[in-house]
Amino acid sequence: MRVKVNEVMTRAVASVNGSTPFKDVAEVLIAHGVSAVPVVDAENHVLGVVSEADLLAKEEFKEQYYREGYRPPLRARLRYRLSREGRSAKEKSQGDTAAELMTAPAVTITPNAPVVSAMRLMDERGVKRLPVVDREGRLEGIVSRQDLLKVFLRTDDEIAREIREDVLDHSLWVDTSQVKVTVKQGIAKLSGHMARHSDALIAARMALRVHGVVDLIDELEWDEDDVPAWQGR
């Protein structure tokens, strides 16, 4: 029931080393059509990430624009005021190599982490992609927001089969033979009959957690209502 990062990540990853010049970094971003690349050392350990925003800071914060009366918007000033390494916006905008431009340490994730962990980490840290690293911090791939959307591209038949086999037949220790599962456009529906209300609620909640389920319609009926009114649906 848990799709892992290594099932959706991109394995062929563009990367640069710390000594890569500014213009070469820009060429890598453009050539590969990505907004950021990991910065790695000789053993492929991830040191940081350099993004389009890091490169654009060089132009945005040039002194000449201040002389012309230009003042970057508040959001930009806050973003560049201090990097995670404590460098000021001015220092970072004067960087000439990937090591001087990058944000470090990089926000990374492991290949066996569930995709939901990657989603939460991206949201918490405000990033669009995560380098995927092994236990030693070596680069194995990269996972982006677009990669995470792949879980919603599972076919209706795949989703229905997982709900039937993994949730109803194997995870619940009750009779589910009278439960019917249908999935259309990622919206799952449970209908039929179960012995107890509490088991029906558990079945519905577990089905909703299956990756690729967009929403759930619960039409299950039961014989014994063993759930207090305030806990019912």
Side-chain angles (χ1 to χ4, degrees):
M1 290 177 61
R2 297 298 180 97
V3 176
K4 296 181 179 180
V5 167
N6 61 13
E7 297 178 58
V8 299
M9 72 181 189
T10 300
R11 298 180 182 275
V13 185
S15 64
V16 297
N17 59 53
S19 61
T20 302
F22 180 101
K23 287 194 174 182
D24 288 351
V25 175
E27 288 179 1
V28 170
L29 293 177
I30 294 171
H32 292 270
V34 295
S35 60
V37 289
V39 182
V40 299
D41 64 14
E43 286 74 42
N44 215 33
H45 296 104
V46 176
L47 305 176
V49 173
V50 61
S51 68
E52 292 172 332
D54 295 324
L55 301 185
L56 292 174
K58 184 174 285 291
E59 289 297 321
E60 186 173 10
F61 286 87
K62 276 186 176 178
E63 190 67 25
Q64 69 184 70
Y65 297 129
Y66 287 98
R67 295 195 187 103
E68 295 170 358
Y70 170 74
R71 183 172 175 78
L74 177 61
R75 184 176 181 180
R77 283 183 276 126
L78 291 175
R79 183 172 69 244
Y80 290 115
R81 181 170 294 170
L82 287 175
S83 73
R84 291 191 183 94
E85 290 182 322
R87 293 198 302 268
S88 69
K90 184 175 181 180
E91 291 172 332
K92 195 166 185 179
S93 67
Q94 292 175 346
D96 295 324
T97 65
E100 295 169 339
L101 295 160
M102 70 182 184
T103 296
V107 183
T108 63
I109 196 161
T110 58
N112 290 321
V115 294
V116 68
S117 296
M119 295 175 184
R120 291 171 179 168
L121 187 57
M122 286 183 187
D123 186 55
E124 290 171 1
R125 302 301 293 271
V127 295
K128 298 179 180 179
R129 60 186 65 230
L130 301 169
V132 183
V133 299
D134 63 16
R135 293 182 180 180
E136 284 71 43
R138 291 187 294 261
L139 183 65
E140 290 196 357
I142 199 158
V143 62
S144 67
R145 289 178 178 176
Q146 188 174 61
D147 292 325
L148 297 180
L149 288 175
K150 293 176 184 176
V151 300
F152 294 109
L153 298 181
R154 303 181 70 195
T155 67
D156 291 341
D157 288 343
E158 288 175 327
I159 296 170
R161 184 166 54 252
E162 182 170 336
I163 293 175
R164 177 78 261 173
E165 296 177 358
D166 292 353
V167 175
L168 299 177
D169 293 346
H170 293 99
S171 298
L172 297 177
W173 294 79
V174 294
D175 180 17
T176 60
S177 60
Q178 297 184 56
V179 177
K180 181 180 179 181
V181 182
T182 57
V183 181
K184 185 176 182 180
Q185 293 295 310
I187 300 176
K189 181 169 75 172
L190 298 183
S191 58
H193 185 272
M194 295 185 71
R196 296 186 300 179
H197 187 184
S198 60
D199 291 331
L201 287 176
I202 293 172
R205 289 168 184 165
M206 293 184 69
L208 184 58
R209 293 173 184 168
V210 170
H211 287 305
V213 173
V214 176
D215 202 355
L216 178 76
I217 300 172
D218 181 3
E219 294 184 350
L220 289 171
E221 298 179 349
W222 55 87
D223 292 326
E224 179 187 350
D225 191 357
D226 60 337
V227 176
W230 62 272
Q231 288 185 346
R233 61 186 177 187

